[in-house]
Amino acid sequence: MSLPRKAEMARARALLSAAARESRGRLARPVLLGIASIACGIAQAWFIARLLAALLGHGEARWGEAGWPELAAAAALALLATALTVAQEHAQAAAG
């Protein structure tokens, strides 16, 4: 004998809710790492824009000192974004 349809649905809903509560913590880490990686990409784009502005003479720096700090910051952010992306992929694999 099978359970009535509503009882089966309630049992399935309770099972899925319990599974969702258990995996919520494991899924939060990849999401947060992805958001951090996106923030690094936005900051990197801002530094590259400042570098181009400095090279074209529109920034605060003159041609002789054109954008070395911006270039270093953009390079560091590129490395950080790459590391965050790799960490995100590992966290996704662990969550899966």
Side-chain angles (χ1 to χ4, degrees):
M1 278 186 75
S2 68
L3 295 173
R5 181 85 174 139
K6 286 185 180 182
E8 287 178 9
M9 293 297 286
R11 236 175 102 196
R13 190 174 296 119
L15 180 65
L16 288 174
S17 293
R21 276 191 300 274
E22 287 177 12
S23 64
R24 193 171 293 146
R26 286 183 287 160
L27 295 177
R29 187 172 179 215
V31 169
L32 293 175
L33 286 170
I35 290 171
S37 178
I38 289 170
C40 283
I42 291 171
Q44 182 184 9
W46 185 76
F47 278 115
I48 290 172
R50 282 184 50 104
L51 172 66
L52 289 175
L55 289 174
L56 295 174
H58 298 291
E60 300 164 357
R62 301 199 190 285
W63 177 257
E65 54 192 51
W68 287 111
E70 287 86 0
L71 181 63
L77 284 169
L79 292 174
L80 180 61
T82 302
L84 286 171
T85 302
V86 169
Q88 180 189 19
E89 290 177 3
H90 285 294
Q92 286 172 343

